[in-house]
Amino acid sequence: MLTVQNLTKTFSNGKGIFDVSFSVKEGEVFGFLGPNGAGKSTTIRHIMGFMKPDKGYVKVNGLDTWKEQGKFQSYVGYLPGEISFFDGMTGKTFLDFMADMQGMKDLSKRARLIDRLQFDVHTPIRKMSKGMKQKVGIVATFMHDPNVIILDEPTSGLDPLMQKVFIEIVLEEKARGKTFLMSSHNFPEIERTCDRAAIIKDGVIITVKDVHELQSMQRKLFEVTFENQAEAKTFLDSGLLIESHEGDRVRVSVQGNYDKFVEETAKYKIRNIDIFTQNLEDIFMNYYERKETMK
Amino acid sequence: MNATLYKQMMKVNMKSFMNYAFGSAFYILLMFWLYPSLAKNTKAIDELVQTMPEGVGKAFGLNGFGSAEAFISGEYYGLILVLILSIVCVQVSTQLMAKLVDQGSMAYLLSSPTTRGKVAFTQASVLTTGLFLIMAVTTIAGFAGNAWFLGDGYVFDTSKFIQMNVAAFLLFFAVGGVSFLVSSLSNDEKKALSISGLITFGFFSLDLVGKFSEKIDWVRNISIFSLYKPGEIINGNADLAVPFLILAVIGLVSISLAIVLFRKRDLLL
């Protein structure tokens, strides 16, 4: 459905993307991950035909996105990373304009989306908060019922409730056979929606992995508060990976071995457990570093 | 051409087009209203102009007060109208392309099933329509002013007045085309504004400076503003065909170039 083949673009400062290839199957949600400046946006710009590749191509539904402008867009819904609309429009006039540009006749899907995301379409866009603008953008992305949906940081600015609604929408569309490419920093979002994810760094795809594999790579930090300092001390010898120890509190790093962690902590009286999820960047950084050392 | 985009962009820009058009119409009506009272003292004023250094009168297009259109050509078409339309060209052309790329809203236009060529062509049409509207309203106001304030008592050469308006439209079609080209190649709104502003007002100043003195007359040849000669049109000693053709060609070539280059460009959206 979406094929990126040997995509290469070198900028004058030597940065860019190099030989990026991956393909997303119909009905698949594909995550696109990597630190800032790694080449995510550049790749998405090529997918949308905003840039001309030095080498390689992007095809959506068999149509080259640089050479076949004007055709491939009707299959694509796009949510830009930084949304900006036109001056002097309300949400309604913007969506009407976009519906016209898409040549849409059936507005029922749009109405349902607006209803679900709960926002007032008659607010002038310049008075909208970031989250509200994001909602307008999401409606514009999905309303013409595209087959391929490109999302650049889709939930930034949304509150947790709306993030949940958004994930639901993605899963429903996925169930209807729609194809997604989604760049994100938000691990729960990727975890819940994606089948596979590519990791890009310095313009090169490091790996394409199954999301379950990524999950097992994720480390979680548990901060356990014991009844007293002595118990905390004996816990240190449990064989778990201890990150730090201070008074009656111990930080344990757990990666996959939840069983053992529960088993060990159950031996003590615990006053409190805090959980820190390692963010995606850290996971990748870990991943890269391990790779480097393996070499 | 994308009809939806054209409609939307006209809607967005209509207010400023109309502001300039009515401002221009108001000014020209004011001139017509003033003319009868000045015409009585034509001689005295002509003498006053004579006493000024020759370059000054020439630079500002002071063209005698013998007829209404000569008066208007000097007092309005020579300077004020040129300034107003220069501002319109630079501002609107920047808004139509560079601003959309800079802000990122161009991403929305290009993610709908249209081509860059169509988008650029549509935006150029909006600019041209705007210039045409302003000139049309100004011309109509001129006729209204003539009928209203002058009647049959004063000389007013309709065909020359129209020629002068066509000349102004073509000049700004060319200026607008060049600004549009700059705008289509820019990623940065402010940069586009300053570059096309520099080009437009640079040309304008070269023309003005060249008119001040015979010695540096040659600098006018660099400026496209020298192809616009309202005074000469009114005095009947201007060759119209060649300058009109050159201005039209400059406008068309710049816009075509803008479309071609915009299609091939990398956009940081």
Side-chain angles (χ1 to χ4, degrees), chain A residues 97-162:
Chain A
F97 169 63
M98 286 310 292
D100 267 356
M101 290 291 283
Q102 293 286 359
M104 267 169 67
K105 302 222 165 52
D106 180 10
L107 299 179
S108 59
K109 181 158 189 190
R110 188 178 89 176
R112 265 180 284 137
L113 283 164
I114 292 171
D115 199 40
R116 254 177 109 172
L117 291 166
Q118 296 170 11
F119 66 100
D120 179 10
V121 283
H122 298 288
T123 315
I125 286 172
R126 69 192 157 81
K127 289 196 177 157
M128 287 184 177
S129 65
K130 187 164 186 279
M132 206 159 154
K133 282 186 193 163
Q134 192 75 7
K135 290 179 185 177
V136 177
I138 291 170
V139 174
T141 308
F142 287 96
M143 66 180 183
H144 55 292
D145 206 22
N147 289 325
V148 177
I149 296 145
I150 313 290
L151 304 167
D152 198 355
E153 309 271 340
T155 56
S156 63
L158 293 184
D159 59 47
L161 185 70
M162 279 304 144

Side-chain angles (χ1 to χ4, degrees), chain A residues 9 45 48-52 66 69-70 73-74 78 80 83-87 89 94 97-98 100-102 137, chain B residues 2 4-5 8-9 99-100 103-105 107-116 263-269:
Chain A
K9 178 85 181 179
R45 281 172 187 148
M48 290 307 296
F50 299 155
M51 282 187 160
K52 185 182 189 214
W66 175 258
Q69 277 177 45
Q73 289 104 322
S74 37
Y78 174 51
I83 299 194
S84 70
F85 302 100
F86 305 95
D87 291 341
M89 279 184 165
F94 172 73
F97 169 63
M98 286 310 292
D100 267 356
M101 290 291 283
Q102 293 286 359
Chain B
N2 184 314
T4 308
L5 180 62
Q8 179 61 38
M9 287 295 150
K99 186 181 177 190
L100 299 186
Q103 280 185 342
S105 34
Y108 273 109
L109 300 185
L110 299 181
S111 67
S112 69
T114 183
T115 62
R116 288 195 199 182
R263 283 179 59 198
K264 293 187 178 158
R265 196 159 92 76
D266 286 335
L267 295 171
L268 295 169
L269 292 172

Side-chain angles (χ1 to χ4, degrees), chain B residues 225-246:
Chain B
F225 282 79
S226 65
L227 294 168
Y228 167 69
K229 299 168 184 141
E232 277 91 331
I233 292 175
I234 296 304
N235 297 338
N237 51 11
D239 170 27
L240 294 181
V242 175
F244 278 21
L245 191 71
I246 298 178

Side-chain angles (χ1 to χ4, degrees), chain B residues 8 20 54 82 86 90 168 172 242:
Chain B
Q8 179 61 38
Y20 284 113
E54 197 194 342
V82 176
S86 297
V90 170
F172 288 101
V242 175

